[in-house]
Amino acid sequence: MKIIVAGGTGCIGRNLIAKLLERGMDIAVIGRDKRKIKKIYESRVEALEWSDLSSQKLSYYDAVINLAGQDISEKRWSKKFKECILDSRLDSTNALALLCSKLGVKSPRMLNASAVGVYGMTGQNPLQPIPVDESWKDISTIESSFLSDVARKWEEALAPAIANDVPVTIMRFGVVLKINEGMLGKLALSVKLGLAGKIGSGQQWMSWIHIDDLVSAIIFLLEHPDITGPINLTHPMPVTQSAFIHLLAKHYHRPCFFNMPAWLVKCLFGEMGEELLLGGQNVVPARLQQHGFIFSKKTISDAFM
C-alpha cells in the first residue's frame, strides 16, 4: 500500500509511520521543510513539501492521512496563536481536499484528523454522564467553544472531497497519551515533585486514547475502506480529571492533594486553561467497536506503562 502522510513529524505521525514502515508500506511525508523530514526518517520515506503536490501526484497513492495541525497546548492562546491553530488545520485540509476532489472516484482515500472538541462541552457531572458517540445530534446541550468551532470548520473543509465522491474518514481524536510525551510528559515533572491534584471541580470528563491504540486504530481504518464518515478515536472508558490525576500520582508513588481552583486556572492560562483544563467531553468510540476493533489498553492505568 502506498500512503502519503501530512503532519508526519509530530508525535502521532512518527509513531504511526514507524508501524507502517514495519508493515512494508511505501510512505511519503509532506511538510514545510524536507530537511526536517529527512533528518527524522532518512531515506525510509519520500520527503515532500506542499509545493510538490498535485492531483497527478496524489493519484499514485492508495490513501492520504492528514495529521497536520499546530499543538494547541504549546502556549497561552493569544489572538494570533488562535489564528495559527485554526489556519494550520484548514490550510492542509483545504489543499488536500481540493486536490482529491479533482480526482473524484479515482482519488486515494482521505483519513483526516479532527478532534472530540467538535462535540463541545458535553457535561461535567460524573453522576450524570452524557456519553457521546458519532450519532450525537442534540446540539441544544452542547456548549460552543473555540475548540468546537475549530473542529467544525476543520471538518467542513472536507466538503469538496466528499461532494466529489472521495471516500473520507474523519478521525476525531481524544487526548492522546504516551508516557514522557504530550500531556503525560508535561504533567510528569509536577507529579514527581508531589504537586499533583485536581483542577477545578475535578469532575470534568477526559476522553483519552493511548498512542499504541491510536496507531492501531488508524491502521485498522486503512484496512477497512468501508469505514467512512466520522469516527471517534477514544478509549471506551473516559475518566474524570480527578480520577486521572490520582491514578497518575499513584503510578509515580507520589501524593495527590494539591487543588487548583477554577479562578486560578483562568488567571494563569486564560481561555486555553478554561477549555483544556476545566472543560471536558465524555466521548465513546461506538463505530470503532461496532466494527470489531479491540483496544490493547484495558484501563487508564495501562496507559501509564
Side-chain angles (χ1 to χ4, degrees):
M1 188 178 289
K2 291 172 64 68
I3 300 171
I4 191 164
V5 182
T9 59
C11 176
I12 297 172
R14 285 184 280 107
N15 282 272
L16 173 62
I17 290 169
K19 289 296 182 183
L20 295 177
L21 290 171
E22 283 180 13
R23 288 169 170 254
M25 296 188 186
D26 189 352
I27 309 297
V29 178
I30 320 169
R32 289 173 294 180
D33 188 348
K34 284 184 181 179
R35 291 172 298 179
K36 182 178 180 181
I37 297 169
K38 289 178 179 178
K39 184 177 181 180
I40 294 172
Y41 297 107
E42 298 176 335
S43 61
R44 292 176 296 158
V45 306
E46 180 184 2
L48 300 172
E49 292 183 352
W50 287 98
S51 58
D52 297 325
L53 281 189
S54 65
S55 292
Q56 183 179 5
K57 179 74 173 176
L58 285 180
S59 69
Y60 295 113
Y61 291 88
D62 300 299
V64 178
I65 302 175
N66 182 20
L67 305 171
Q70 173 68 48
D71 179 1
I72 61 175
S73 64
E74 185 177 300
K75 57 184 177 181
R76 192 182 178 101
W77 291 353
S78 63
K79 181 180 179 181
K80 184 176 181 180
F81 189 61
K82 285 169 70 175
E83 290 174 354
C84 182
I85 290 172
L86 179 60
D87 291 346
S88 65
R89 285 157 174 76
L90 295 190
D91 289 349
S92 61
T93 304
N94 278 324
L96 292 169
L98 288 171
L99 289 172
C100 287
S101 70
K102 294 176 182 178
L103 295 170
V105 294
K106 295 182 179 179
S107 169
R109 292 178 60 204
M110 281 192 72
L111 284 76
N112 208 83
S114 181
V116 295
V118 73
Y119 298 110
M121 304 304 168
T122 55
Q124 297 183 355
N125 184 353
L127 301 179
Q128 296 179 341
I130 308 173
V132 176
D133 63 23
E134 296 87 351
S135 65
W136 185 257
K137 302 294 182 185
D138 190 5
I139 61 173
S140 64
T141 61
I142 292 178
E143 180 184 341
S144 182
S145 62
F146 169 66
L147 290 180
S148 66
D149 291 342
V150 166
R152 286 171 188 147
K153 290 175 181 176
W154 199 358
E155 295 186 8
E156 287 167 2
L158 292 163
I162 295 170
N164 285 279
D165 299 319
V166 176
V168 175
T169 302
I170 303 169
M171 305 180 294
R172 293 173 175 168
F173 294 168
V175 176
V176 181
L177 301 181
K178 182 179 182 182
I179 203 72
N180 297 324
E181 290 195 41
M183 174 184 277
L184 290 182
K186 291 173 182 176
L187 288 173
L189 179 59
S190 61
V191 172
K192 289 176 181 178
L193 290 173
L195 301 177
K198 71 177 183 180
I199 298 173
S201 69
Q203 296 180 338
Q204 55 272 37
W205 287 97
M206 188 180 87
S207 295
W208 62 279
I209 186 167
H210 189 271
I211 187 68
D212 291 349
D213 281 328
L214 180 65
V215 166
S216 294
I218 295 173
I219 294 173
F220 182 84
L221 294 174
L222 283 173
E223 294 172 343
H224 291 76
D226 56 309
I227 305 176
T228 58
I231 187 155
N232 297 332
L233 298 192
T234 61
H235 193 274
M237 297 172 60
V239 295
T240 63
Q241 187 275 335
S242 179
F244 168 76
I245 202 67
H246 275 84
L247 286 169
L248 185 59
K250 183 179 179 180
H251 170 74
Y252 285 113
H253 306 289
R254 294 293 187 271
C256 184
F257 53 80
F258 281 89
N259 295 328
M260 184 178 288
W263 66 265
L264 183 57
V265 172
K266 294 175 184 178
C267 181
L268 292 175
F269 303 105
E271 187 179 3
M272 179 184 74
E274 205 164 347
E275 292 204 26
L276 294 183
L277 301 178
L278 299 178
Q281 295 90 24
N282 182 359
V283 177
V284 293
R287 292 192 67 209
L288 199 58
Q289 289 187 295
Q290 287 165 6
H291 283 278
F293 180 78
I294 298 173
F295 289 83
S296 66
K297 308 300 180 183
K298 303 306 179 186
T299 68
I300 186 69
S301 297
D302 295 336
F304 305 147
M305 304 303 178

